[in-house]
Amino acid sequence: MLITLLVLALVGATGWWQYRSLSSEYVGLMREQQQALTDSAAADLDYKLGVHLAALSRAARELGAEGFADPAAQQRFLADKDLRAMFDNAALATPDGAIVAIHPAAAQPPNVADRDYFKQVRDRREPAISAPLLTKGGRQPAVVMAVPVEAPDGRLAGVLGAALDLQRANVLGDLSRATVGRGGHYEIVTRGESPRIVMHPDAKRLLEPAAASTAALAGGPENDLATHATVRSANWDLRLVVPARAAYAPLEQARRNLLLQLLWLGLGCALLVWLGTAWVMRPLEALSNAIRTLRQSPDSQVRLDVVANDERGDLAREFDALMGELREQRLEVAAVTDASPVGLFRCDSEGRMTYVNDEYLAIHGLAREEAQEGWLTLVREEIRDKVRQDWVRIVSAAEPLNATRRLHRRDGTQVLVALRSRPVLAACRVMGHVGTVTDITERTRAERALRTLTAIFDMTTDFIIQNDAKGRLIYMNPAARRRTGVDLDAPIETLKVSDFNPPQTLERFRSEVVPTAVATGVWVGESVVWDAQKQPFPVSHMVIAHRDKHGKLEYFSGLMRDISAAKAAEQALRESEQRLRMVTDHLPALISYLDRELRFRFVNKAYQDWFGIEPQQLLGRSLREFYGEEAWAQMEPYIRAALGGRQVTYERRVTGAGGRRDIQATLVPERNEAGEVVGLYTLDSDITAHHEAEEALQESEARLRTVADALPMRVAYIDADERYRFNNLAYEREFGLSRDQIQGHTVQELLGEPAYESVKPHIRAALAGEVVTFQSEVSQSDSYNCYEAQYIPQPAANADTIVGFHAVITDITRQKLEEKRLVGLAQIDPLTGLANRAGFEARLGEAMDRSRSAGALMALMYLDIDGFKQINDQFGHQTGDELLKAFSGRLSQGLRSSDVRARLGGDEFTVIMEGLPHADIAVAAATKLVLAMQTPFTVEPQRTINVTASIGLAFYQGGAATSAALVKQADEMLYRAKRAGRNNVQTAPLPVEGGQT
């Protein structure tokens, strides 16, 4: 196969080289021929342009300054001269650019002072050919030739110009329709940084930007074949472009023929090479069969020709020696693996065991005949298939395996094994895995116990240390390190017990702790140790003495717990009891503790202030005895409830020497560990002032409600959850609900979903602390209402949050209706009943906003009555007013009902048309109006007036343009209609601010 590939590569390279040589020569020849044709066409075009320019210069000399100054001579010159045979139009211009004569005639000849070719002729006094441009009159693509017209004294009398229309048959148009071969064409572009197309077969591409050069198109058969030459008289490039499919068709046919020939040649060579190689390799077949037999059965006996004196005999002898060495090595490996204390195995890529040693069988509890897949019987039956699939996936991958598995042997025991395997690779292909299985059950248990003990030591908050018999530290847990300032990873071999204990503790160790621990094995007590700053703190201490199996003392373990918090708590408890007594004695409320028999066991000093009795005199007295039978009758139900396990708060009134007192009593039961009530804590507070304040507040609220109910507007208070907490009588009349039906409900529930959504942003602003004022209009088929709402935030007492807001809603329907009536009167023209200028400006702004948001097309008509001033002068202003009213009536009849009609003043009218699917609708409507206005108007019984209308039409379809810009464009179109002879419609080609109509 290698020789075959080499022969095919040689044949292919030879064919490729031949094709490249043929292709290069063909392309070069084609380019030379096409370049010659291009140069010839460019020279011919250059000659023709020169002839046209020379003819134009000769005509300018014949005209002269005298003929240029005579208008009659100018027209005869343009009409009589034979320039029309060479040019599409001709014109005479003064030195300032004004056209004084043009043929064919134009209604409004343009000014050409801004044209580059005109400036060149005027400034340099030499002929010029323009770049392609759009004519100002007809907006047609053209090329203009211009020459100076000089007086005898050399003074410039004017400029004679003639144009070649790029879309007509002339010297340029004829060349654009010329073809070369199949699909080839000519095109002309200007030279310079921004070239444009002067001539092209596709008229739509005239004046468009063109590529700067055709060099990029000549790269090979995949591109069109293009050549270019310079037209010097106009500084143009003439390009000849032939499509690639036509230019390179013969080359493509030759390539296909060559490939077919190479294919047959290569196939023939490959067949011959294959047959020859097969014959040469035939002597190795016998050796190959022997090797295949030994692979299937290594212990088989094969006959090899080891005496032949050729290459086959050499290979047979070497192979026989290799197989003998492999048999010896296999026996040695088998002996080693069978004696290994570790389970060994080998499996194929399907997961089947092809070899296991005796230790592997012993670990799994299997017999030798079960070695192939017996391990699967040690897996639960419900997951056996999944385990089998996972094992096949693992051993078919070229990745090593390190895992721990738990096996359930048939004798009921469980073993934990460590499984390690590596892939056997042959030619980068996985043949299987070899590995070991080790029983790690006992080792894992020991390691787990050690890890558990170490984790306990590491996580406990107690301090644990170990030191040898000489006091050197051998272990400190993290808690001890942190408390004594030793880094977690710092070595401790150089530290001693004396580094962490004050002298008095060390002395106690020598005299008491160590002797007791050595004698009894353990010492328990309290001691004082140092922290990281050498500050002593108390600990609960246990010291354990450890001995080896011979009874010799090895080391000590110390377990310490910080009891400084407990010591501090004892002291704090004593201080707390003293502070509690001080606090309760200074409180203005009565505080006591009653036992289960309702006898006083504790009273504060307030009892002496209220009743004039020393607290010590009350201890041991019963509650009923102290307060008397009348008070006990009021208190007994609450006392019984508290003794039943409930916390009770109630109020009662006491009348004494100091006057009336309102008391709020709170009873809190005390329970023992079994949950039984063993006593009561009592707290009696004087709430007389609070009740008096509540009564005053209720009187104030009653006065406020009386005032609010008398107001004509709706007044309410709404909390932070948007629920009504107060409303006046006007709210009830408006919604037909009682106060109880309103209060407690949310704004959304009262107003309904649509109305709530309209006021929701204002509610959010008020709850954010902002005073909000807004108006809300409700229009129905038979009614209109308008309300003005004011939301006033209510801050909390600390002024940090807003707890609600006050809503004041006033009915302003009458004021709003009067306002609308006055606005309507201010925007209506009293003569015609149409909108006046103010109304027009307001509606135009609204229409443009809608068009801008929706992207819809709208139109603006600007129209007036042709010759209206003469009608006023001839028939009087009264007749003019009658005509305006009749004109406005006919204007309304010719439009849609949705179109806005306005009179700006005098005879100027406007029409706003919205929602146009396309511009033709507005154009058709304007044309219809022009025709309608041509019908005579009868303004008096005996007087008929004939008038016409001129209309300017502009469009808008979104963008940043203002209404003034749109009105200006429509006015310009009206002015153009006037210049075009009146009684017509002129339309702007594009909407204001871009877009397409």
Side-chain angles (χ1 to χ4, degrees), residues 156-190:
L156 180 65
V159 175
L160 171 60
L164 293 174
D165 191 331
L166 299 181
Q167 294 181 335
R168 295 184 178 178
N170 48 42
V171 65
L172 297 177
D174 293 341
L175 187 60
S176 68
R177 287 184 285 275
T179 59
V180 179
R182 290 184 297 175
H185 67 272
Y186 288 101
E187 60 184 53
I188 299 176
V189 300
T190 62

mmCIF file of all heavy atoms in Angstrom, residues 156-190:
data_model
loop_
_atom_site.group_PDB
_atom_site.id
_atom_site.type_symbol
_atom_site.label_atom_id
_atom_site.label_comp_id
_atom_site.label_asym_id
_atom_site.label_seq_id
_atom_site.Cartn_x
_atom_site.Cartn_y
_atom_site.Cartn_z
ATOM 1 N N LEU A 156 -13.463 86.638 -20.434
ATOM 2 C CA LEU A 156 -14.401 85.512 -20.407
ATOM 3 C C LEU A 156 -15.817 86.059 -20.522
ATOM 4 O O LEU A 156 -16.289 86.778 -19.646
ATOM 5 C CB LEU A 156 -14.273 84.698 -19.102
ATOM 6 C CG LEU A 156 -15.241 83.491 -18.989
ATOM 7 C CD1 LEU A 156 -14.925 82.447 -20.053
ATOM 8 C CD2 LEU A 156 -15.137 82.877 -17.594
ATOM 9 N N ALA A 157 -16.507 85.729 -21.644
ATOM 10 C CA ALA A 157 -17.878 86.197 -21.842
ATOM 11 C C ALA A 157 -18.881 85.226 -21.212
ATOM 12 O O ALA A 157 -19.964 85.640 -20.799
ATOM 13 C CB ALA A 157 -18.165 86.349 -23.337
ATOM 14 N N GLY A 158 -18.541 83.955 -21.124
ATOM 15 C CA GLY A 158 -19.454 82.967 -20.550
ATOM 16 C C GLY A 158 -18.893 81.569 -20.751
ATOM 17 O O GLY A 158 -17.731 81.394 -21.131
ATOM 18 N N VAL A 159 -19.734 80.605 -20.524
ATOM 19 C CA VAL A 159 -19.336 79.205 -20.608
ATOM 20 C C VAL A 159 -20.396 78.468 -21.414
ATOM 21 O O VAL A 159 -21.589 78.637 -21.174
ATOM 22 C CB VAL A 159 -19.201 78.587 -19.205
ATOM 23 C CG1 VAL A 159 -18.896 77.092 -19.317
ATOM 24 C CG2 VAL A 159 -18.110 79.282 -18.408
ATOM 25 N N LEU A 160 -19.905 77.654 -22.380
ATOM 26 C CA LEU A 160 -20.783 76.803 -23.165
ATOM 27 C C LEU A 160 -20.636 75.375 -22.642
ATOM 28 O O LEU A 160 -19.507 74.851 -22.597
ATOM 29 C CB LEU A 160 -20.401 76.865 -24.654
ATOM 30 C CG LEU A 160 -21.125 75.833 -25.561
ATOM 31 C CD1 LEU A 160 -22.628 76.023 -25.530
ATOM 32 C CD2 LEU A 160 -20.582 75.948 -26.990
ATOM 33 N N GLY A 161 -21.735 74.784 -22.225
ATOM 34 C CA GLY A 161 -21.700 73.432 -21.697
ATOM 35 C C GLY A 161 -22.672 72.532 -22.434
ATOM 36 O O GLY A 161 -23.721 72.969 -22.894
ATOM 37 N N ALA A 162 -22.299 71.238 -22.543
ATOM 38 C CA ALA A 162 -23.166 70.241 -23.163
ATOM 39 C C ALA A 162 -23.044 68.946 -22.364
ATOM 40 O O ALA A 162 -21.968 68.639 -21.844
ATOM 41 C CB ALA A 162 -22.781 70.002 -24.616
ATOM 42 N N ALA A 163 -24.126 68.202 -22.257
ATOM 43 C CA ALA A 163 -24.172 67.020 -21.396
ATOM 44 C C ALA A 163 -24.418 65.769 -22.210
ATOM 45 O O ALA A 163 -25.107 65.784 -23.227
ATOM 46 C CB ALA A 163 -25.271 67.171 -20.338
ATOM 47 N N LEU A 164 -23.817 64.691 -21.739
ATOM 48 C CA LEU A 164 -24.085 63.348 -22.267
ATOM 49 C C LEU A 164 -24.879 62.597 -21.193
ATOM 50 O O LEU A 164 -24.365 62.322 -20.106
ATOM 51 C CB LEU A 164 -22.780 62.607 -22.567
ATOM 52 C CG LEU A 164 -21.929 63.177 -23.701
ATOM 53 C CD1 LEU A 164 -20.608 62.437 -23.776
ATOM 54 C CD2 LEU A 164 -22.656 63.072 -25.040
ATOM 55 N N ASP A 165 -26.146 62.301 -21.492
ATOM 56 C CA ASP A 165 -26.986 61.568 -20.547
ATOM 57 C C ASP A 165 -26.497 60.122 -20.497
ATOM 58 O O ASP A 165 -26.446 59.424 -21.514
ATOM 59 C CB ASP A 165 -28.451 61.615 -21.003
ATOM 60 C CG ASP A 165 -29.396 61.109 -19.916
ATOM 61 O OD1 ASP A 165 -28.961 60.264 -19.113
ATOM 62 O OD2 ASP A 165 -30.549 61.561 -19.885
ATOM 63 N N LEU A 166 -26.129 59.662 -19.293
ATOM 64 C CA LEU A 166 -25.533 58.332 -19.144
ATOM 65 C C LEU A 166 -26.542 57.214 -19.362
ATOM 66 O O LEU A 166 -26.161 56.042 -19.408
ATOM 67 C CB LEU A 166 -24.912 58.190 -17.749
ATOM 68 C CG LEU A 166 -23.787 59.179 -17.428
ATOM 69 C CD1 LEU A 166 -23.234 58.921 -16.043
ATOM 70 C CD2 LEU A 166 -22.670 59.076 -18.460
ATOM 71 N N GLN A 167 -27.825 57.551 -19.496
ATOM 72 C CA GLN A 167 -28.848 56.531 -19.698
ATOM 73 C C GLN A 167 -29.371 56.513 -21.137
ATOM 74 O O GLN A 167 -30.317 55.775 -21.430
ATOM 75 C CB GLN A 167 -30.017 56.765 -18.720
ATOM 76 C CG GLN A 167 -29.648 56.570 -17.261
ATOM 77 C CD GLN A 167 -30.823 56.791 -16.325
ATOM 78 O OE1 GLN A 167 -31.750 57.509 -16.677
ATOM 79 N NE2 GLN A 167 -30.783 56.171 -15.155
ATOM 80 N N ARG A 168 -28.802 57.314 -22.023
ATOM 81 C CA ARG A 168 -29.262 57.364 -23.416
ATOM 82 C C ARG A 168 -28.190 56.847 -24.360
ATOM 83 O O ARG A 168 -27.029 56.670 -23.998
ATOM 84 C CB ARG A 168 -29.645 58.803 -23.778
ATOM 85 C CG ARG A 168 -30.859 59.326 -22.978
ATOM 86 C CD ARG A 168 -31.256 60.708 -23.439
ATOM 87 N NE ARG A 168 -32.429 61.214 -22.720
ATOM 88 C CZ ARG A 168 -32.966 62.424 -22.906
ATOM 89 N NH1 ARG A 168 -32.411 63.247 -23.824
ATOM 90 N NH2 ARG A 168 -34.011 62.810 -22.207
ATOM 91 N N ALA A 169 -28.622 56.688 -25.610
ATOM 92 C CA ALA A 169 -27.693 56.210 -26.639
ATOM 93 C C ALA A 169 -26.803 57.366 -27.076
ATOM 94 O O ALA A 169 -27.250 58.326 -27.690
ATOM 95 C CB ALA A 169 -28.469 55.650 -27.831
ATOM 96 N N ASN A 170 -25.523 57.303 -26.746
ATOM 97 C CA ASN A 170 -24.522 58.285 -27.163
ATOM 98 C C ASN A 170 -23.179 57.582 -27.118
ATOM 99 O O ASN A 170 -23.123 56.341 -27.039
ATOM 100 C CB ASN A 170 -24.575 59.530 -26.268
ATOM 101 C CG ASN A 170 -24.593 59.189 -24.798
ATOM 102 O OD1 ASN A 170 -23.858 58.302 -24.384
ATOM 103 N ND2 ASN A 170 -25.443 59.845 -24.022
ATOM 104 N N VAL A 171 -22.143 58.342 -27.144
ATOM 105 C CA VAL A 171 -20.829 57.713 -27.195
ATOM 106 C C VAL A 171 -20.563 56.865 -25.944
ATOM 107 O O VAL A 171 -19.851 55.860 -26.012
ATOM 108 C CB VAL A 171 -19.733 58.804 -27.362
ATOM 109 C CG1 VAL A 171 -19.692 59.710 -26.128
ATOM 110 C CG2 VAL A 171 -18.371 58.168 -27.589
ATOM 111 N N LEU A 172 -21.154 57.230 -24.799
ATOM 112 C CA LEU A 172 -20.986 56.433 -23.587
ATOM 113 C C LEU A 172 -22.057 55.348 -23.497
ATOM 114 O O LEU A 172 -21.775 54.210 -23.102
ATOM 115 C CB LEU A 172 -21.059 57.330 -22.345
ATOM 116 C CG LEU A 172 -19.965 58.394 -22.232
ATOM 117 C CD1 LEU A 172 -20.190 59.250 -20.994
ATOM 118 C CD2 LEU A 172 -18.589 57.746 -22.176
ATOM 119 N N GLY A 173 -23.296 55.694 -23.811
ATOM 120 C CA GLY A 173 -24.369 54.711 -23.738
ATOM 121 C C GLY A 173 -24.167 53.549 -24.692
ATOM 122 O O GLY A 173 -24.466 52.399 -24.360
ATOM 123 N N ASP A 174 -23.648 53.824 -25.908
ATOM 124 C CA ASP A 174 -23.411 52.733 -26.864
ATOM 125 C C ASP A 174 -22.354 51.777 -26.349
ATOM 126 O O ASP A 174 -22.469 50.555 -26.509
ATOM 127 C CB ASP A 174 -22.987 53.327 -28.221
ATOM 128 C CG ASP A 174 -24.133 54.110 -28.865
ATOM 129 O OD1 ASP A 174 -25.297 53.893 -28.461
ATOM 130 O OD2 ASP A 174 -23.854 54.940 -29.758
ATOM 131 N N LEU A 175 -21.300 52.349 -25.707
ATOM 132 C CA LEU A 175 -20.237 51.484 -25.207
ATOM 133 C C LEU A 175 -20.735 50.600 -24.059
ATOM 134 O O LEU A 175 -20.284 49.462 -23.892
ATOM 135 C CB LEU A 175 -19.051 52.341 -24.735
ATOM 136 C CG LEU A 175 -17.781 51.564 -24.326
ATOM 137 C CD1 LEU A 175 -17.266 50.742 -25.496
ATOM 138 C CD2 LEU A 175 -16.716 52.534 -23.837
ATOM 139 N N SER A 176 -21.676 51.116 -23.261
ATOM 140 C CA SER A 176 -22.188 50.329 -22.136
ATOM 141 C C SER A 176 -22.966 49.110 -22.625
ATOM 142 O O SER A 176 -23.076 48.114 -21.888
ATOM 143 C CB SER A 176 -23.076 51.203 -21.246
ATOM 144 O OG SER A 176 -24.258 51.553 -21.933
ATOM 145 N N ARG A 177 -23.532 49.171 -23.823
ATOM 146 C CA ARG A 177 -24.309 48.036 -24.330
ATOM 147 C C ARG A 177 -23.479 47.092 -25.191
ATOM 148 O O ARG A 177 -23.990 46.108 -25.700
ATOM 149 C CB ARG A 177 -25.505 48.577 -25.131
ATOM 150 C CG ARG A 177 -26.591 49.183 -24.243
ATOM 151 C CD ARG A 177 -27.796 49.623 -25.027
ATOM 152 N NE ARG A 177 -27.531 50.865 -25.762
ATOM 153 C CZ ARG A 177 -27.661 52.082 -25.232
ATOM 154 N NH1 ARG A 177 -28.047 52.199 -23.982
ATOM 155 N NH2 ARG A 177 -27.406 53.174 -25.933
ATOM 156 N N ALA A 178 -22.196 47.420 -25.376
ATOM 157 C CA ALA A 178 -21.327 46.541 -26.158
ATOM 158 C C ALA A 178 -20.962 45.318 -25.323
ATOM 159 O O ALA A 178 -20.738 45.417 -24.120
ATOM 160 C CB ALA A 178 -20.059 47.289 -26.572
ATOM 161 N N THR A 179 -20.893 44.139 -25.944
ATOM 162 C CA THR A 179 -20.545 42.899 -25.243
ATOM 163 C C THR A 179 -19.259 42.342 -25.831
ATOM 164 O O THR A 179 -18.953 42.533 -27.017
ATOM 165 C CB THR A 179 -21.670 41.872 -25.375
ATOM 166 O OG1 THR A 179 -21.914 41.587 -26.761
ATOM 167 C CG2 THR A 179 -22.954 42.386 -24.746
ATOM 168 N N VAL A 180 -18.524 41.611 -25.011
ATOM 169 C CA VAL A 180 -17.277 40.969 -25.413
ATOM 170 C C VAL A 180 -17.399 39.495 -25.052
ATOM 171 O O VAL A 180 -17.511 39.153 -23.860
ATOM 172 C CB VAL A 180 -16.067 41.608 -24.698
ATOM 173 C CG1 VAL A 180 -14.792 40.883 -25.121
ATOM 174 C CG2 VAL A 180 -15.982 43.079 -24.991
ATOM 175 N N GLY A 181 -17.372 38.640 -26.032
ATOM 176 C CA GLY A 181 -17.483 37.218 -25.777
ATOM 177 C C GLY A 181 -18.842 36.884 -25.180
ATOM 178 O O GLY A 181 -19.859 37.500 -25.477
ATOM 179 N N ARG A 182 -18.832 35.930 -24.267
ATOM 180 C CA ARG A 182 -20.073 35.533 -23.607
ATOM 181 C C ARG A 182 -20.145 36.182 -22.231
ATOM 182 O O ARG A 182 -19.540 35.730 -21.290
ATOM 183 C CB ARG A 182 -20.126 34.014 -23.462
ATOM 184 C CG ARG A 182 -20.310 33.269 -24.758
ATOM 185 C CD ARG A 182 -20.459 31.783 -24.527
ATOM 186 N NE ARG A 182 -19.256 31.207 -23.929
ATOM 187 C CZ ARG A 182 -19.147 29.955 -23.529
ATOM 188 N NH1 ARG A 182 -20.182 29.131 -23.674
ATOM 189 N NH2 ARG A 182 -18.040 29.514 -22.997
ATOM 190 N N GLY A 183 -20.872 37.311 -22.155
ATOM 191 C CA GLY A 183 -21.108 37.967 -20.868
ATOM 192 C C GLY A 183 -20.133 39.063 -20.528
ATOM 193 O O GLY A 183 -20.281 39.713 -19.502
ATOM 194 N N GLY A 184 -19.094 39.320 -21.340
ATOM 195 C CA GLY A 184 -18.154 40.395 -21.036
ATOM 196 C C GLY A 184 -18.772 41.763 -21.285
ATOM 197 O O GLY A 184 -19.625 41.923 -22.152
ATOM 198 N N HIS A 185 -18.363 42.772 -20.538
ATOM 199 C CA HIS A 185 -18.925 44.115 -20.690
ATOM 200 C C HIS A 185 -17.871 45.151 -20.334
ATOM 201 O O HIS A 185 -16.860 44.855 -19.674
ATOM 202 C CB HIS A 185 -20.156 44.294 -19.794
ATOM 203 C CG HIS A 185 -19.826 44.266 -18.327
ATOM 204 N ND1 HIS A 185 -19.780 43.084 -17.623
ATOM 205 C CD2 HIS A 185 -19.516 45.266 -17.465
ATOM 206 C CE1 HIS A 185 -19.449 43.349 -16.370
ATOM 207 N NE2 HIS A 185 -19.274 44.657 -16.235
ATOM 208 N N TYR A 186 -18.143 46.389 -20.805
ATOM 209 C CA TYR A 186 -17.288 47.534 -20.471
ATOM 210 C C TYR A 186 -17.937 48.320 -19.346
ATOM 211 O O TYR A 186 -19.162 48.403 -19.239
ATOM 212 C CB TYR A 186 -17.125 48.457 -21.689
ATOM 213 C CG TYR A 186 -16.251 47.873 -22.794
ATOM 214 C CD1 TYR A 186 -16.827 47.307 -23.930
ATOM 215 C CD2 TYR A 186 -14.863 47.904 -22.691
ATOM 216 C CE1 TYR A 186 -16.047 46.778 -24.939
ATOM 217 C CE2 TYR A 186 -14.078 47.371 -23.701
ATOM 218 C CZ TYR A 186 -14.665 46.816 -24.834
ATOM 219 O OH TYR A 186 -13.886 46.304 -25.809
ATOM 220 N N GLU A 187 -17.095 48.958 -18.544
ATOM 221 C CA GLU A 187 -17.563 49.916 -17.553
ATOM 222 C C GLU A 187 -16.506 50.995 -17.384
ATOM 223 O O GLU A 187 -15.317 50.743 -17.625
ATOM 224 C CB GLU A 187 -17.854 49.229 -16.213
ATOM 225 C CG GLU A 187 -16.667 48.532 -15.600
ATOM 226 C CD GLU A 187 -17.047 47.794 -14.326
ATOM 227 O OE1 GLU A 187 -17.997 46.989 -14.364
ATOM 228 O OE2 GLU A 187 -16.362 48.020 -13.302
ATOM 229 N N ILE A 188 -16.938 52.193 -17.036
ATOM 230 C CA ILE A 188 -16.033 53.332 -16.883
ATOM 231 C C ILE A 188 -16.215 53.874 -15.472
ATOM 232 O O ILE A 188 -17.345 54.056 -15.009
ATOM 233 C CB ILE A 188 -16.320 54.441 -17.909
ATOM 234 C CG1 ILE A 188 -16.133 53.897 -19.328
ATOM 235 C CG2 ILE A 188 -15.430 55.653 -17.680
ATOM 236 C CD1 ILE A 188 -16.493 54.907 -20.405
ATOM 237 N N VAL A 189 -15.076 54.144 -14.783
ATOM 238 C CA VAL A 189 -15.108 54.735 -13.441
ATOM 239 C C VAL A 189 -14.142 55.904 -13.418
ATOM 240 O O VAL A 189 -13.177 55.963 -14.183
ATOM 241 C CB VAL A 189 -14.728 53.712 -12.350
ATOM 242 C CG1 VAL A 189 -15.691 52.553 -12.349
ATOM 243 C CG2 VAL A 189 -13.307 53.209 -12.538
ATOM 244 N N THR A 190 -14.409 56.828 -12.536
ATOM 245 C CA THR A 190 -13.502 57.965 -12.361
ATOM 246 C C THR A 190 -12.274 57.519 -11.588
ATOM 247 O O THR A 190 -12.289 56.517 -10.881
ATOM 248 C CB THR A 190 -14.194 59.104 -11.618
ATOM 249 O OG1 THR A 190 -14.571 58.639 -10.324
ATOM 250 C CG2 THR A 190 -15.439 59.572 -12.354
#
